[in-house]
Amino acid sequence: MSYIDAVLVQNNILDSYTADMSKYATNTEAVKIRACYNSIPAQLAKYNKKFQYKVVQKGGSSTIFEASIEWLKQAGVILECQRIDQGTQPLAVYAGQTAFKIYMSDVGLLVNKSKMPVNTILTGTPNIFMRTVTKNYIAQQFAAKGYPLYYWTRANSQAELDFVLQKDDKIYGIEVNKGEHIRSRSLNLFRQKYSPDCSMRISTKNFGKTDDVISVPLYAAFLI
C-alpha cells in the first residue's frame, strides 16, 4: 500500500466517525460531538495541552460538552489522559476529573486530521507539531498495552511530566522527546519528590541508562 492509499483509507475512517456521530446521537448532541472532535488538533497544538472547552466554542463549559467527550471516549475515537497531582500508587485516586488531555486513538488519523504533509514526517523537517504527534504515538502505545493514561503537574509550577504509569504496585515516571534532547527538569522534580520505581526517557536515543534514568528509543515504546 502506498502513502496515498493509506491517506485515502484514513479519510474513509474519519468520514465514518463523523457519520456515526449523526447516526448514533441526537441531532443536537451530534453537533456538540463534532465540535469537540474537530477541536482536537487545536487542543493539542496549545502550549498547555489540557483540554479546554473554550477552544471548542467561545463560552464552552463541561456542562455543555462533557457528555460529548464521554461519547468520543466510549466510541474509541479518543484517548483521555488524566492529570494527577501525586505520584504514588494507586494513581487512580489522585486523578482530577476536571483536568485532562485528549489524544486521538490513532496517531495516523491525527496526522491526517491535522493536514500535516506526510513528507514532513518522512523527511524529518523541523515542525513544532511533531512534539504532539510523538506524544500521541506514545499514548496510543500505552493504551494498547492496557495502561490507564495519566500525566503529572506540580502545583504552582510549570513542571509537567508527560506520562505516569502504574504497573501492579510499581510507578513509572516517563518523559517523551521527539529528538535526542536529554534535559529532564520535570522528570527530575518528579523523581526527587516521589522516588518512582522506574524513571524513563523515550526519545530517538538508543537504549541506555544515565543517572538511574533509562533511555528507551521511540520505536520500542511497546515494550514498556
Side-chain angles (χ1 to χ4, degrees):
M1 177 181 288
S2 69
Y3 291 115
I4 295 176
D5 291 334
V7 169
L8 293 176
V9 172
Q10 290 169 345
N11 286 338
N12 287 334
I13 294 173
L14 293 173
D15 289 344
S16 295
Y17 283 170
T18 302
D20 283 349
M21 293 169 197
S22 298
K23 183 176 181 180
Y24 296 110
T26 65
N27 290 338
T28 300
E29 190 58 39
V31 170
K32 293 189 288 185
I33 294 169
R34 284 195 297 271
C36 289
Y37 172 64
N38 289 331
S39 79
I40 293 174
Q43 299 278 358
L44 290 173
K46 296 187 287 81
Y47 175 75
N48 176 5
K49 294 177 176 58
K50 182 181 75 171
F51 188 88
Q52 295 179 344
Y53 294 104
K54 66 181 181 182
V55 174
V56 180
Q57 173 186 293
K58 185 177 181 180
S61 66
S62 60
T63 302
I64 300 172
F65 292 112
E66 187 175 39
S68 302
I69 294 297
E70 186 63 23
W71 191 98
L72 290 168
K73 284 168 52 183
Q74 295 302 319
V77 176
I78 61 173
L79 303 172
E80 183 182 67
C81 184
Q82 293 182 301
R83 185 175 72 182
I84 55 174
D85 55 12
Q86 298 289 327
T88 56
Q89 58 96 6
L91 295 179
V93 305
Y94 302 114
Q97 299 301 313
T98 59
F100 56 92
K101 297 179 183 180
I102 292 297
Y103 293 104
M104 291 285 287
S105 59
D106 182 272
V107 69
L109 296 181
L110 171 66
V111 171
N112 184 302
K113 190 167 180 61
S114 304
K115 306 303 180 187
M116 175 178 278
V118 175
N119 282 342
T120 300
I121 299 174
L122 296 178
T123 61
T125 304
N127 188 298
I128 193 170
F129 193 66
M130 276 302 298
R131 291 184 299 183
T132 291
V133 172
T134 301
K135 292 178 182 180
N136 200 125
Y137 157 72
I138 297 299
Q140 180 184 342
Q141 295 298 307
F142 289 160
K145 295 291 291 286
Y147 288 115
L149 300 178
Y150 302 104
Y151 73 101
W152 171 80
T153 59
R154 183 178 182 181
N156 303 318
S157 171
Q158 291 186 335
E160 179 177 300
L161 187 59
D162 298 312
F163 296 99
V164 182
L165 305 182
Q166 180 177 338
K167 187 173 184 179
D168 298 324
D169 61 344
K170 308 295 184 184
I171 298 298
Y172 293 9
I174 300 173
E175 182 178 72
V176 178
N177 293 307
K178 69 180 180 66
E180 293 190 2
H181 174 74
I182 60 173
R183 289 182 298 172
S184 307
R185 176 177 174 271
S186 295
L187 179 57
N188 288 337
L189 288 172
F190 185 82
R191 292 174 61 209
Q192 292 168 13
K193 189 172 181 62
Y194 299 110
S195 300
D197 300 281
C198 184
S199 300
M200 293 185 183
R201 182 185 300 111
I202 304 176
S203 68
T204 56
K205 291 180 69 67
N206 206 345
F207 289 102
K209 188 174 184 180
T210 304
D211 297 329
D212 291 326
V213 176
I214 299 172
S215 292
V216 178
L218 287 164
Y219 70 81
F222 72 96
L223 297 173
I224 297 174

